[in-house]
């Protein structure tokens, strides 16, 4: 068995953390929106309006059907050292760059339409760029360390 690097385990650990975070915030919201709002995992109608809720529910659906499975398959596949794990994780990491960029742009370009609680502007300004950096770093890591994979 190949010894995995510290960077490899950082990539995997953050992906597992994101899976847990998205199951709690996104997947749960598909079944009980009000609970996720009460837990502070989703925004209220007062903050983003009815159209905002529709878009957030769309993101929740897309994350549940595509992003979470890509992350999960990526984690399993990378641990098993498979080509499909590499490709799945790369796709999930690309999404990890895209979605925070769209959310950050939306909340800062339309401050009059999206009136979040002040602490969310601070937390989003820290957390979302970190997720984007993770996605960019992860793609770079996979690109440079993707050789030597089994052909499966």
């Amino acid at each position: 068995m190949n010894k995995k690097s510290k960077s490899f385990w950082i990539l995997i650990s953050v992906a597992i953390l994101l899976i847990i975070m998205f199951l709690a915030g996104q997947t749960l919201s598909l079944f009980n929106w009000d609970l996720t709002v009460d837990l502070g995992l989703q925004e209220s109608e007062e903050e983003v309006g009815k159209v905002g809720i529709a878009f957030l529910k769309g993101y929740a659906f897309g994350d549940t059907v595509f992003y979470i499975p890509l992350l999960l398959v990526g984690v399993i596949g990378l641990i098993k050292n498979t080509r499909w794990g590499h490709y799945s994780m790369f796709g999930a990491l690309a999404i990890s760059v895209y979605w925070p960029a769209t959310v950050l742009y939306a909340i800062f370009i339309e401050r009059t339409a999206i009136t979040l609680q002040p602490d969310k502007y601070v937390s989003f300004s820290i957390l979302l760029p970190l997720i984007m950096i993770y996605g960019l770093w992860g793609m770079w890591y996979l690109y440079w360390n993707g050789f030597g994979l089994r052909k499966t």
Side-chain angles (χ1 to χ4, degrees):
M1 181 175 176
N2 291 345
K3 182 168 170 45
K4 308 287 189 201
S5 71
K6 185 176 182 179
S7 296
F8 174 86
W9 290 112
I10 291 171
L11 180 74
I12 296 299
S13 298
V14 174
I16 291 169
L17 185 63
L18 285 172
I19 291 167
I20 294 167
M21 184 176 88
F22 276 80
L23 285 171
Q26 298 292 73
T27 304
L28 178 60
S29 74
L30 295 176
F31 302 100
N32 192 337
W33 183 265
D34 293 333
L35 176 61
T36 56
V37 170
D38 291 342
L39 293 172
L41 301 172
Q42 290 290 353
E43 283 64 54
S44 67
E45 187 177 322
E46 293 77 30
E47 292 175 293
V48 296
K50 288 182 182 189
V51 172
I53 296 295
F55 274 94
L56 291 174
K57 286 182 178 181
Y59 270 115
F61 176 78
D63 289 341
T64 299
V65 173
F66 296 106
Y67 184 54
I68 295 169
L70 277 173
L71 275 170
L72 186 59
V73 168
V75 166
I76 294 166
L78 286 177
I79 290 172
K80 295 176 112 186
N81 197 31
T82 65
R83 194 168 298 280
W84 51 263
H86 182 267
Y87 294 138
S88 295
M89 183 60 82
F90 201 93
L93 291 166
I95 295 169
S96 299
V97 175
Y98 170 79
W99 75 261
T102 63
V103 171
L104 279 173
Y105 183 81
I107 64 174
F108 285 105
I109 201 71
E110 286 299 330
R111 286 191 192 189
T112 56
I114 300 172
T115 54
L116 299 175
Q117 298 170 7
D119 62 319
K120 288 185 180 178
Y121 285 107
V122 174
S123 62
F124 285 180
S125 296
I126 296 167
L127 183 61
L128 296 181
L130 287 175
I131 293 171
M132 291 170 62
I133 291 167
Y134 165 74
L136 290 168
W137 170 80
M139 288 188 291
W140 175 85
Y141 173 84
L142 289 177
Y143 178 78
W144 289 106
N145 295 284
F147 302 104
L149 292 169
R150 288 186 285 134
K151 295 183 180 187
T152 55

